Amino acid sequence: MKKTIRIIPVLLAVLLLAGCGAPAAPAVTAAPTVAEETAAVTSATPTQETEPAVAAKVLPDGEYTVDFETDSGMFRANEACNGKGTLTVKDGIQTLHVSLQSKKIVNLYVGTAEDAQQSGAVWLEPTLDTVTYSDGLSEDVFGFDIPVVSVGQEFDLAIIGTKGVWYDHRVSVQNPVPQAGTYTCEVTLNGGSGRASVASPAEISSDGETLTATIQWSSPHYEYMIVDGVQYDPIQQEGNSTFQIPVVLDADMAVSASTVAMSEPHLVEYTLYFDSATLAGK
């Protein structure tokens, strides 16, 4: 028994050497590379769903009166302009011209104040505009031509004044109104039972400041419409109910319409949406 005990360790050593071919150094596991570590973390981290990017709103070529919305009463369109500017669209490129309150803002930058101070940043230079107030007084102020990627969406616009300090602001271009004329525009109706519809595209007339649309229903049973608390009566003598109502573009407009199609009149709530991207001159 003692002999057998001594032989077993020797036999195990011989077998191990025969299997490896030669003594080997202890195995060393290579450290993972940065790319491998990143891949491992990525595969272990649940995929986050991102919201789809909102498509840019680009209007058909032309000139529009628009609201210039800002986050500050100190940075806004001149009061003589009623908070409005002029948006020019040419070959799909949108440029807003807005006259400011004075000459105290000397440059603008599309982006943040931090980015405006980086090397190579391109600042917007002012134009000299003359505005006339309601009392007849005229004044020279600074205006700017501002590139607009998307109508209706906020973007960063930094300003610098005569004191040389940059400030961050958020602005947007809203409520486009084309030049005076007659247009067509796609309109979407929602609400009610879903059985009624309106003719699309609808005819829209512009006086350069406000829009009026001709709405024709799929039924002759509507006796009046209400928009912003004002009642509008039909304009047709026979056929489907037709109305002329004030409208805005790119917004869900709440309207009411009274129908006599049922046993007694019912006032039904709807929304109308006019898509400015579908505007076309007649």
Side-chain angles (χ1 to χ4, degrees), residues 39-200:
V41 171
T42 303
S43 63
T45 303
T47 302
Q48 298 290 331
E49 291 187 5
T50 57
E51 294 184 2
V54 178
K57 188 78 169 183
V58 179
L59 303 185
D61 283 10
E63 190 172 285
Y64 303 81
T65 300
V66 296
D67 292 334
F68 179 57
E69 302 283 352
T70 76
D71 58 5
S72 171
M74 301 301 292
F75 172 46
R76 56 185 173 86
N78 191 281
E79 64 180 82
C81 305
N82 297 316
K84 299 183 181 295
T86 300
L87 183 74
T88 301
V89 186
K90 185 176 181 181
D91 298 330
I93 297 175
Q94 303 181 132
T95 305
L96 169 70
H97 184 81
V98 59
S99 300
L100 300 184
Q101 295 173 280
S102 65
K103 297 180 183 178
K104 293 182 179 179
I105 296 174
V106 296
N107 289 107
L108 302 182
Y109 178 77
V110 180
T112 64
E114 180 180 358
D115 291 340
Q117 300 173 72
Q118 302 302 313
S119 176
V122 179
W123 302 348
L124 301 181
E125 298 292 336
T127 61
L128 188 61
D129 298 354
T130 300
V131 297
T132 302
Y133 301 99
S134 57
D135 61 2
L137 177 67
S138 294
E139 181 184 19
D140 288 338
V141 298
F142 280 161
F144 289 88
D145 292 316
I146 305 168
V148 176
V149 173
S150 183
V151 173
Q153 295 181 21
E154 280 193 336
F155 60 96
D156 292 310
L157 188 63
I159 68 172
I160 186 172
T162 53
K163 295 183 179 180
V165 179
W166 282 98
Y167 296 94
D168 283 313
H169 288 286
R170 296 281 289 174
V171 304
S172 65
V173 171
Q174 307 280 352
N175 190 28
V177 176
Q179 290 180 302
T182 304
Y183 302 83
T184 61
C185 184
E186 297 288 340
V187 55
T188 302
L189 174 74
N190 286 300
S193 65
R195 289 178 292 180
S197 63
V198 296
S200 181

Side-chain angles (χ1 to χ4, degrees), residues 189 195-199 215-222 240-241:
L189 174 74
R195 289 178 292 180
S197 63
V198 296
I215 300 297
Q216 184 181 67
W217 291 84
S218 57
S219 162
H221 300 300
Y222 289 96
N240 288 346
S241 302

Side-chain angles (χ1 to χ4, degrees), residues 18-44:
C20 297
V28 178
T29 302
T33 64
V34 173
E36 289 170 337
E37 287 183 345
T38 302
V41 171
T42 303
S43 63

Side-chain angles (χ1 to χ4, degrees), residues 183-187 199-204 249 274-280:
Y183 302 83
T184 61
C185 184
E186 297 288 340
V187 55
S200 181
E203 182 175 289
I204 291 183
L249 304 180
F274 294 84
D275 186 356
S276 63
T278 65
L279 275 174

